[in-house]
Amino acid sequence: MSAQIRESRDKSVGKGETLLEVRNLKKYFAVTEGVVRRRAIGNVKAVDGVSFTIARGEILGLVGESGCGKTTTGRCILQLETPTSGEIVFEGVNLEKLDQKAMVAWRQKIQVIFQDPYSSLNPRMKVGEILGEPMRVHRVEPNAAKRRQRIAELLTVCGLPAKFADRYPHEMSGGQRQRVGIARALCLNPDFIICDEAVSALDVSIQAQVINLLEDLREEFNLTYLFIAHDLSVVHHLCNRVAVMYLGRMVELAESDELFDNPMHPYTQALLSAVPVPDPTVEAQRSHQVPKGEVPSPINPPSGCVFHPRCPLAVDSCRAQVPEFRELKPGHWVACPRV
Amino acid sequence: MATPQAVIDTSELDQLRIPLRTQLWRLVRKQPLGAAGAFIVIIMSLAAIFANVITSYNPVANDLASMLQSPEANHWMGTDEFGRDILTRVIYGARTALSIGLTAAFLGATGGLVLGVASAYFGGIFDLITQRIVDVLMAFPLIIMALAVVATLGPGAQNVIIAITIPFIPTCARVVRSSALAIREIPYVDAARALGFSHARIILRHMVPNVMAPYLIMLSTFVGQAILLEAVLSYLGMGVQDPTPAWGLMLKGGAEEFLESAPWVSIFPGLAISFAVFGFNLFGDAMRDVLDPKMRRD
Ligand SMILES: Nc1ncnc2c1ncn2[C@@H]1O[C@H](COP(=O)(O)OP(=O)(O)O)[C@@H](O)[C@H]1O
Ligand SMILES: [Mg+2]
């Protein structure tokens, strides 16, 4: 599949002005017990102190196993979830400090594409309404005739016939629906789009098409993406930089080629060794170091470095000390004192 | 890689998209009882709408020359103590029963719809308080609640509607909320939030249309209950007042004084109440079977 994805990545982007900065973001979900008197019996530390920046025009990949907090990070940026602590700064403005009115205006600048193309579109609305409603409500295009025109353009840009405006979501295939989801994310002219596993529910043959579409759109509309995925080969081809998360923490962040050629954190190394190589002879000779044991529960995460129970390099100090996120090479950050 | 897969069961929603005629035909074939219910509902609606065409008697004017006549050619159901034609009053009574029943059922179910969806959407403390109030209100039987409201407001058609509407709201809110909680977690609601829509828009445009199945089921069962409640309140003298033709009221007059001497005075309004409630209940059950595959009995 990766061969079908065009290698159009411009390595120079990602060094411009900072668009989004996430500082020490934490999101804990209370786990409660009891029906009559609810008591908090613990916290799910879904995101536990994550920091990163995204430059305008960049695609930042966010990878990690299921349940490591990727979606929660995205939802906090979208303000669909209120962070427990930490700051989200977009275009130099701290989102927490915005009033209701400024928030509505700001919301238009950050959009999201969801994983599941079946449940992310309202089954009761025609495609034309799904795309037209935001433009009407936010007066992006108050004129009905012009709005229809723009809906047709959006559909065409996203690779759908303009007449699909009259269809209901259930009259379309998964790939077509996902294109509608992308068109919806574009309809308010956003600067930044969070793609939360935007292709992983699609057929493999369709994935490459949608990824190419996302890449084209980024160039055409000068967009910035946070690309959440668990498919590393897709991330390698699409993203400028890649961040790796494990159990709510960020363990490594580097330029895409650097991360894949020279992974430093033991978790990243294990994650990459699990990706099969297309050449069968090379594949047969590769060592597959799979981390021992299970991913621990985020309710009571391990002390110190959360990866220490599964880490081949772990020493006693890893049990006690939360590792510092260090810049080992320019632009290559690792949360491990042993490398 | 995961294959495309729907997270929610959309078959319930798809049910509503089937053309009405096909749905009706299915109802008749699969639900003979439901069809019988629908038949009664239709007859009753026609009687209510065309009452003044069907009968030439005046439902309220006294005719002391023909008091308490037993059923005969001119008065198929006989006359009451004021000489009024019972058939005429039964037909006009359908108008009273339907207008009160439909209004109360619609207001109660719609109030519950909005409250239930809002409760699920906002969640947290709002949901908690709303649901505890609903718990308290639902602890009272419908009739006790309705009686309490009429006792406070006084009798009369408008107050009867209020009295029946109020206990319906929590019942419907509870049912709708459980569906809305599932809808709340579906990404298109998150997408609507990310697009910066107002709470009212998300609730009314994005959530309410997707909980129509439980709403319609509640609405159809409420109509039968409302007709019965109205009859009970009127029978107890706390509902519609004389001379308005209302079945409960007719039953009261007939049963208390003339049960032995002129049984037709009470039998026919009594039968009308039974058939109407029976018809709406059958119709409501069939509606539930068609709209909600999970509750289907077979
Ligand atoms: N609303 C919630 N309430 C409680 N726990 C949650 C909630 N959302 C996510 N979690 C938990 O937070 C952790 C991270 O979830 P998520 O961000 O969805 O991971 P990912 O997207 O990386 O698979 C998981 O353990 C998940 O169970
Ligand atoms: Mg996720």
Side-chain angles (χ1 to χ4, degrees):
Chain A
M1 175 194 67
S2 37
Q4 296 168 327
I5 301 175
R6 267 170 295 121
E7 189 78 25
S8 61
R9 182 157 41 94
D10 176 2
K11 305 281 179 184
S12 67
V13 296
K15 300 196 168 64
E17 121 205 47
T18 298
L19 182 68
L20 173 83
E21 182 171 0
V22 174
R23 290 190 203 131
N24 203 16
L25 178 71
K26 293 186 183 175
K27 177 65 193 180
Y28 297 171
F29 293 104
V31 183
T32 55
E33 192 186 63
V35 179
V36 184
R37 284 183 56 215
R38 283 189 186 272
R39 285 161 295 154
I41 56 164
N43 282 321
V44 175
K45 297 186 174 176
V47 178
D48 199 11
V50 162
S51 305
F52 59 90
T53 61
I54 302 182
R56 193 180 284 279
E58 185 185 28
I59 306 182
L60 176 69
L62 188 57
V63 300
E65 284 163 283
S66 175
C68 69
K70 307 182 294 294
T71 296
T72 307
T73 305
R75 289 176 63 87
C76 286
I77 297 171
L78 286 160
Q79 302 286 296
L80 294 177
E81 219 77 75
T82 316
T84 307
S85 71
E87 285 168 60
I88 294 159
V89 181
F90 187 80
E91 289 181 329
V93 182
N94 191 331
L95 297 186
E96 225 176 319
K97 308 226 160 68
L98 292 182
D99 59 24
Q100 197 67 36
K101 216 171 146 203
M103 181 66 113
V104 169
W106 166 84
R107 275 213 189 272
Q108 300 173 33
K109 297 186 174 185
I110 302 188
Q111 285 302 313
V112 56
I113 302 167
F114 292 97
Q115 169 173 14
D116 180 21
Y118 287 82
S119 57
S120 58
L121 303 179
N122 188 337
R124 303 257 159 204
M125 291 169 91
K126 285 183 180 173
V127 170
E129 293 174 73
I130 290 173
L131 301 180
E133 188 186 22
M135 297 189 226
R136 185 164 42 84
V137 170
H138 292 303
R139 312 215 185 290
V140 172
E141 197 56 86
N143 178 303
K146 281 191 187 158
R147 199 161 58 229
R148 265 196 300 281
Q149 175 74 33
R150 181 143 156 70
I151 291 168
E153 282 168 20
L154 268 175
L155 288 172
T156 314
V157 163
C158 293
L160 293 171
K163 65 173 194 293
F164 271 35
D166 289 324
R167 293 213 177 174
Y168 281 100
H170 69 98
E171 295 168 324
M172 296 186 287
S173 72
Q176 289 168 339
R177 290 184 195 212
Q178 197 61 319
R179 288 172 190 270
V180 174
I182 293 171
R184 176 179 58 191
L186 291 174
C187 69
L188 294 177
N189 305 312
D191 293 316
F192 179 53
I193 297 181
I194 295 178
C195 310
D196 189 353
E197 314 250 6
V199 295
S200 40
L202 302 177
D203 267 9
V204 176
S205 57
I206 312 230
Q207 285 193 356
Q209 296 172 13
V210 173
I211 287 170
N212 288 339
L213 171 65
L214 289 172
E215 177 61 35
D216 290 345
L217 293 173
R218 189 194 64 77
E219 278 168 27
E220 191 172 343
F221 299 107
N222 191 24
L223 296 168
T224 306
Y225 293 146
L226 176 63
F227 192 84
I228 299 174
H230 57 236
D231 185 330
L232 292 166
S233 56
V234 169
V235 169
H236 189 178
H237 281 267
L238 188 69
C239 300
N240 303 102
R241 289 188 305 148
V242 178
V244 182
M245 279 184 76
Y246 180 77
L247 221 61
R249 312 265 173 104
M250 196 166 275
V251 296
E252 189 159 2
L253 172 65
E255 301 230 332
S256 180
D257 287 341
E258 165 73 8
L259 187 100
F260 281 87
D261 296 342
N262 183 21
M264 290 191 183
H265 196 282
Y267 176 67
T268 312
Q269 290 170 355
L271 206 61
L272 293 187
S273 78
V275 181
V277 172
D279 186 336
T281 47
V282 178
E283 174 66 25
Q285 286 159 13
R286 271 159 35 106
S287 71
H288 289 271
Q289 26 154 247
V290 178
K292 56 190 183 211
E294 297 271 309
V295 183
S297 152
I299 296 182
N300 286 309
S303 62
C305 171
V306 284
F307 190 56
H308 83 252
R310 304 171 73 192
C311 181
L313 306 179
V315 292
D316 279 350
S317 65
C318 295
R319 243 179 283 278
Q321 213 124 38
V322 176
E324 189 197 346
F325 202 42
R326 296 179 299 152
E327 190 169 17
L328 281 186
K329 283 191 212 168
H332 194 152
W333 297 71
V334 186
C336 181
R338 302 272 297 144
V339 295
Chain B
M1 207 120 321
T3 48
Q5 200 180 36
V7 165
I8 50 155
D9 176 17
T10 50
S11 62
E12 199 175 317
L13 308 174
D14 292 333
Q15 287 281 340
L16 281 175
R17 291 194 203 93
I18 300 166
L20 189 67
R21 215 186 318 153
T22 321
Q23 275 201 28
L24 278 181
W25 178 234
R26 255 188 222 179
L27 192 85
V28 174
R29 266 200 330 197
K30 282 196 190 160
Q31 309 273 347
L33 282 178
F39 181 72
I40 296 175
V41 168
I42 290 167
I43 293 290
M44 187 174 161
S45 309
L46 291 177
I49 296 167
F50 299 109
N52 42 356
V53 182
I54 300 168
T55 157
S56 53
Y57 291 103
N58 185 322
V60 294
N62 297 353
D63 178 7
L64 299 182
S66 47
M67 273 165 47
L68 289 175
Q69 285 179 5
S70 56
E72 40 126 357
N74 284 336
H75 302 286
W76 292 358
M77 295 185 182
T79 61
D80 66 6
E81 70 271 34
F82 299 109
R84 298 175 298 199
D85 180 49
I86 303 247
L87 176 60
T88 300
R89 285 177 63 78
V90 165
I91 290 171
Y92 276 90
R95 195 178 266 187
T96 310
L98 264 187
S99 55
I100 292 182
L102 286 177
T103 313
F106 176 76
L107 292 179
T110 306
L113 173 72
V114 173
L115 190 66
V117 174
S119 188
Y121 172 75
F122 290 110
I125 194 80
F126 178 80
D127 186 39
L128 194 73
I129 292 173
T130 313
Q131 291 311 309
R132 291 303 78 81
I133 294 173
V134 164
D135 281 341
V136 170
L137 293 181
M138 282 177 68
F140 297 99
L142 277 185
I143 180 68
I144 303 287
M145 277 275 292
L147 276 173
V149 176
V150 181
T152 317
L153 298 177
Q158 197 183 327
N159 290 347
V160 168
I161 291 175
I162 297 173
I164 301 173
T165 300
I166 288 177
F168 280 167
I169 292 175
T171 313
C172 184
R174 172 59 49 86
V175 171
V176 165
R177 173 181 173 269
S178 63
S179 294
L181 278 177
I183 302 285
R184 174 80 175 78
E185 300 301 320
I186 299 179
Y188 62 74
V189 175
D190 283 331
R193 291 174 64 205
L195 287 164
F197 293 156
S198 64
H199 297 313
R201 174 172 293 275
I202 295 173
I203 290 173
L204 297 177
R205 282 275 289 157
H206 293 262
M207 292 183 72
V208 161
N210 289 296
V211 292
M212 273 299 136
Y215 168 75
L216 290 176
I217 292 165
M218 292 312 283
L219 184 64
S220 64
T221 51
F222 280 171
V223 181
Q225 289 181 14
I227 289 174
L228 188 60
L229 269 179
E230 181 269 315
V232 169
L233 289 175
S234 299
Y235 181 84
L236 295 174
M238 304 183 79
V240 183
Q241 298 298 298
D242 229 11
T244 314
W247 297 337
L249 210 55
M250 294 163 71
L251 191 62
K252 175 192 181 199
E256 279 172 6
E257 294 171 49
F258 310 109
L259 191 56
E260 278 169 37
S261 57
W264 59 87
V265 180
S266 51
I267 283 177
F268 291 110
L271 281 176
I273 295 171
S274 309
F275 270 107
V277 175
F278 185 58
F280 272 101
N281 284 352
L282 289 180
F283 182 68
D285 282 355
M287 184 108 153
R288 187 194 57 209
D289 288 353
V290 171
L291 288 181
D292 192 348
K294 272 170 263 151
M295 289 167 81
R296 212 165 269 167
R297 278 165 299 187
D298 47 41

